[in-house]
Amino acid sequence: MDASLEIYEKMKRQKCCVIIPTYNNHKTLKRVIDGVLNFTQDIIIVNDGSTDSTSQILSNYPKLTQIHLEKNQGKGNALKVGFKKAKELQFKNAITIDSDGQHFPDDIPVFIEYLKQEGEILLIGSRNMAQEGVPKKSSFGNKFSNFWFWFETGNKLEDTQSGFRLYPLDKIPNRFFTNKFEFEIEIIVRSAWNGTRVKNIPIQVLYDMSERVSHFRPFKDFTRISILNTVLVAIAIFYIKPRDFFRRLKKKGFKQFFLENILESQDSKMTKSLSIALGVFIGIAPFWGFQTVLVLFLAYVLRLNKVISFAFSNVSFPPFIPLIIFGSLKIGGLFMENPQDVFPNSYTDFDQIKQHLVQYLIGSFILASIMAVIFGLLGYILMTIFSSNKNKQIRNA
């Protein structure tokens, strides 16, 4: 069987179409469409309000599904329109390819083979950003995006900005909040948060500056991307990471979590003990609202175990908060000249409120320090005992 025909049949079985968003890329559009037609006729073209000869070019492909938007609304919106149409046509997967000529349609079989092997997965074509001709701003922007994707999801990718992708349509969010270039960041981050696997696969890339038309506006679009990443980081820190931690803890149970994530870690006992101490200190100290970002930052700077530090920073989860506040006020009172009642009936003036707050702050830092030392030492002792028992079992086996 001809290779192209084989891919055609595989795409049919996988219910996979190709979406081509386009805006004023008349120089390369025909070449891209003809290249995709070598593998499938299930193509959805979204003309995002082009003002060049795009409409005339598309008139030569009457059998292809075409959507013509009156005004340019951004690549993200064009992709959303394409996804909606693909779902209406009962497709389960969609490959997106840019119309500016930088991608090679000949790489479509690579996506289909990975889809066949991996099942439901979001694939992103990984370009060789080190090759000659790649604009420096593209290389920098990609590294910038890769870092924030890792921070927001814990998943390391080599290329998060490539528009040559395969989306499992049932595994991506139904609603989005962005419409332009930043959309392609939002969709992979939120898909990863929902449990969708996101992976890079190698593809070819061509940067022909005589043909390629880029609609990326450095200042405006970089600002929009930065704002989006700020929002995503906040959501990751205050919701996603705590949610995932408690899900893992609930699924494994504390004993199994302790065995797998602490005892089986390759870090030294001292590093793990210090990680526990850091987490407990940050969890008890009065850094309300900033505990997660602070513990992750300090664990990174101090080269400690981020998973362990984050886990123990949750020592201040709701049932323990009253006990922490009570202990902090009690301990703080020992260091105050005029200690305040832990639970005063009322405040007579602002000075009394201020003294009560100072008493709490002093006590919380002291309590945090004491508990950090206790938990760190206890962790070290338990790890030593478990390690000794494990070594005895190995010798007796």
Side-chain angles (χ1 to χ4, degrees), residues 10-11 13-19 42 44 83 86-87 90-96 112 115 119-122 165-171:
K10 288 181 179 179
M11 292 186 71
R13 287 195 293 271
Q14 296 286 352
K15 295 184 178 181
C16 183
C17 67
V18 176
I19 298 174
D42 294 325
I44 300 172
F83 291 148
K87 289 181 178 180
Q90 304 300 309
F91 289 106
K92 296 295 183 183
N93 298 282
I95 293 175
T96 62
I112 300 304
L115 177 62
E120 290 182 320
I121 190 169
L122 197 162
R165 306 179 176 191
L166 184 146
Y167 292 98
L169 296 174
D170 292 335
K171 295 294 182 179

Side-chain angles (χ1 to χ4, degrees), residues 297-352:
F297 173 75
L298 290 175
Y300 173 78
V301 171
L302 299 173
R303 299 182 181 276
L304 299 179
N305 188 303
K306 292 185 287 294
V307 172
I308 295 175
S309 294
F310 174 72
F312 280 87
S313 71
N314 287 277
V315 68
S316 60
F317 65 95
F320 284 179
I321 290 176
L323 296 176
I324 292 173
I325 295 175
F326 177 82
S328 298
L329 287 168
K330 273 291 186 183
I331 293 174
L334 300 175
F335 297 85
M336 297 287 290
E337 185 175 344
N338 297 307
Q340 302 292 308
D341 292 337
V342 174
F343 301 112
N345 293 324
S346 62
Y347 290 106
T348 56
D349 53 37
F350 180 75
D351 284 340
Q352 188 181 358

Side-chain angles (χ1 to χ4, degrees), residues 258 269 272-281 284 312 315 331 365-383:
F258 182 80
K269 290 194 291 289
K272 288 186 279 191
S273 299
L274 291 173
S275 301
I276 292 172
L278 173 66
V280 171
F281 179 83
I284 295 176
F312 280 87
V315 68
I331 293 174
F365 278 112
I366 295 172
L367 177 63
S369 301
I370 293 171
M371 297 307 293
V373 171
I374 292 173
F375 271 77
L377 287 173
L378 186 60
Y380 189 89
I381 292 169
L382 288 174
M383 284 183 280

Side-chain angles (χ1 to χ4, degrees), residues 54-68:
T54 292
S55 295
Q56 289 88 329
I57 294 170
L58 294 180
S59 66
N60 296 316
Y61 301 93
K63 293 184 178 180
L64 303 183
T65 302
Q66 299 181 25
I67 302 172
H68 295 267

Side-chain angles (χ1 to χ4, degrees), residues 216-239:
F216 185 84
R217 302 160 300 176
F219 179 76
K220 287 186 177 180
D221 289 317
F222 191 77
T223 299
R224 294 172 71 95
I225 290 171
S226 297
I227 293 172
L228 172 66
N229 276 315
T230 301
V231 173
L232 294 177
V233 165
I235 295 172
I237 289 173
F238 297 115
Y239 174 67

Side-chain angles (χ1 to χ4, degrees), residues 198-246:
V198 183
K199 183 177 180 180
N200 276 141
I201 60 172
I203 60 168
Q204 308 168 78
V205 65
L206 171 67
Y207 280 92
D208 186 341
M209 304 313 292
S210 65
E211 286 187 326
R212 185 169 180 264
V213 177
S214 174
H215 302 293
F216 185 84
R217 302 160 300 176
F219 179 76
K220 287 186 177 180
D221 289 317
F222 191 77
T223 299
R224 294 172 71 95
I225 290 171
S226 297
I227 293 172
L228 172 66
N229 276 315
T230 301
V231 173
L232 294 177
V233 165
I235 295 172
I237 289 173
F238 297 115
Y239 174 67
I240 299 298
K241 292 185 184 294
R243 179 203 69 179
D244 292 347
F245 167 73
F246 283 111

